[in-house]
Amino acid sequence: MAKRKATLNDVAHKAGVSASTVSRYMKGQLNLRPDTERKIVDAISSEGYVRPSSRSSSAQSESPGGTIGVVVPEVGNDYFSRIADRVVAAAESNGYSVLVASTSNNSRRQLDYVRLLTSLGVDGLVYLGNYASNAALAAEVAADFPVVVVDEQLSGIPSVDTVLVDDYAGAYQAVTYLGSLGHARIAFVGGPAWLHSVQERMRGWRDALTRSGADADDQLVLNGTFSEEFGAASLSHILATTRNPTAVFAASDTIALGLMAAARRLGMSVPKDLSIVGFDDVPAASLVTPRLTTVHTPVGQMASTAVTMLIERLDGSRRAATSRVTSVSLVVGESAASPQVSM
């Protein structure tokens, strides 16, 4: 059996330093103490590490700032693709090249792409995931590899830099707004139930209903995927409950757009027959008729904050893990109105 090729992480572990330190040393970006430099040189020799010579790694070496890896659940999802685009723009403005990997919402690929990008010698990672944990990412964080996790709080991972959305506040605002219009039976349609963001949006939905004196009915809760297909399929399930809702809070615009499409196919009027509010404020929210009422998530701010935090860690200017929460705001469109049925 052929011997496995040594990776940058193998060298880093052998030398007792971070993979980013090895990478930047090999690119001539660091002046190290003689003893640290000797450890790295010895580790490279003993591990038999050979720097990748592919076209992509050549491009990395030409970038004066180094290279950042970005892992996203899927580029076909407008929300994730916008964050990835803005991470690329923020990184390039700081002199970094970017490698983007899409996991297609596959848990195995999430592991594989973290390992692939670190083996290619990226200096750090910006990570967006649709699973509650990632063992490969946890191992890199434990080895002091620079990582910033965006949009989702992970479990089973050492303390790590994060950029999160105020999911609870956004959901609370959305459901409180629906309550102010007179809605009491408000369904919750969300993404995977194990995600912290979904749990926080559900908590905001529940607390807003409870505070208004309405019942947070579990019959009106449905979890699935962040997709238009799930949103469309969820409508018939919600309407089949014994307590028909007059409004739906969808935990993503993608789900909300699917709900609106299904409502049109059933001959329902939004918002006359059913009010719908989404979350994320993707560009399509302003293009549909009626314009979707949604919670605005400032993806540009999130992306630039993530890149800034990663560069601070690469520069060694910050050691303690930091979590930054991004504020959200309600964007009122035309997809929600007072209910037309008796309460």
Side-chain angles (χ1 to χ4, degrees), residues 72-74 77-85 128 130 151 226:
V72 296
E74 56 176 328
N77 183 300
D78 200 8
Y79 176 69
F80 294 125
S81 66
R82 285 192 304 143
I83 293 179
D85 283 344
L128 293 88
N130 250 359
D151 191 54
F226 288 121

Side-chain angles (χ1 to χ4, degrees), residues 165-175 201 204 249 277-279 295 328-330:
V165 175
D166 198 341
D167 297 295
Y168 175 86
Y172 193 93
Q173 289 178 50
V175 178
R201 293 176 193 187
F249 167 56
V277 175
F279 201 115
V295 176
V328 297
S329 58
L330 187 68

Side-chain angles (χ1 to χ4, degrees), residues 1 15 26 31 44 59 77 131-132 189 192 215 225 254 267 291 305 315:
M1 179 181 293
M26 295 181 69
N31 291 318
I44 291 172
N77 183 300
Y131 289 85
V189 182
D215 182 19
T225 61
T254 304
R291 201 269 190 227
T305 298
D315 290 343

Side-chain angles (χ1 to χ4, degrees), residues 31-300:
N31 291 318
L32 299 173
R33 295 197 312 257
D35 59 331
T36 302
E37 183 176 16
R38 174 49 55 191
K39 288 178 182 178
I40 292 176
V41 172
D42 289 345
I44 291 172
S45 176
S46 64
E47 294 294 317
Y49 176 72
V50 177
R51 190 175 182 184
S53 57
S54 66
R55 183 176 180 181
S56 61
S57 53
S58 295
Q60 294 175 44
S61 64
E62 293 170 4
S63 173
T67 305
I68 290 174
V70 181
V71 178
V72 296
E74 56 176 328
V75 291
N77 183 300
D78 200 8
Y79 176 69
F80 294 125
S81 66
R82 285 192 304 143
I83 293 179
D85 283 344
R86 283 157 178 78
V87 167
V88 171
E92 289 181 343
S93 70
N94 283 279
Y96 283 83
S97 296
V98 183
L99 296 177
V100 179
S102 173
T103 67
S104 301
N105 282 318
N106 183 294
S107 59
R108 178 67 193 183
R109 287 182 180 175
Q110 287 197 130
L111 300 173
D112 291 343
Y113 276 124
V114 167
R115 294 177 179 129
L116 174 62
L117 289 171
T118 54
S119 71
L120 288 174
V122 298
D123 298 288
L125 285 178
V126 174
Y127 178 87
L128 293 88
N130 250 359
Y131 289 85
S133 62
N134 185 315
L137 191 73
E140 296 301 334
V141 174
D144 202 29
F145 186 75
V147 173
V148 176
V149 174
V150 179
D151 191 54
E152 200 59 62
Q153 189 168 304
L154 303 182
S155 60
I157 190 171
S159 186
V160 66
D161 292 325
T162 56
V163 180
L164 303 174
V165 175
D166 198 341
D167 297 295
Y168 175 86
Y172 193 93
Q173 289 178 50
V175 178
T176 297
Y177 173 70
L178 287 170
S180 72
L181 295 175
H183 295 278
R185 298 193 301 274
I186 303 171
F188 175 89
V189 182
W194 60 79
L195 291 179
H196 182 264
S197 61
V198 176
Q199 294 168 3
E200 284 296 283
R201 293 176 193 187
M202 184 183 294
R203 188 168 70 90
W205 165 82
R206 191 178 301 279
D207 284 358
L209 284 174
T210 300
R211 183 172 181 179
S212 69
D215 182 19
D217 190 347
D218 288 338
Q219 291 186 59
L220 299 180
V221 174
L222 198 62
N223 290 100
T225 61
F226 288 121
S227 67
E228 289 190 31
E229 292 77 12
F230 168 66
S234 68
L235 182 60
S236 59
H237 290 279
I238 292 170
L239 297 180
T241 63
T242 56
R243 295 187 64 206
N244 285 354
T246 59
V248 177
F249 167 56
S252 82
D253 284 351
T254 304
I255 293 174
L257 294 171
L259 280 162
M260 293 177 71
R264 285 194 296 272
R265 288 195 291 270
L266 291 176
M268 299 176 65
S269 171
V270 176
K272 182 178 179 181
D273 299 322
L274 185 71
S275 288
I276 298 175
V277 175
F279 201 115
D280 291 332
D281 194 21
V282 300
S286 63
L287 301 177
V288 295
T289 303
R291 201 269 190 227
L292 180 64
T293 294
T294 183
V295 176
H296 175 69
T297 301
V299 294

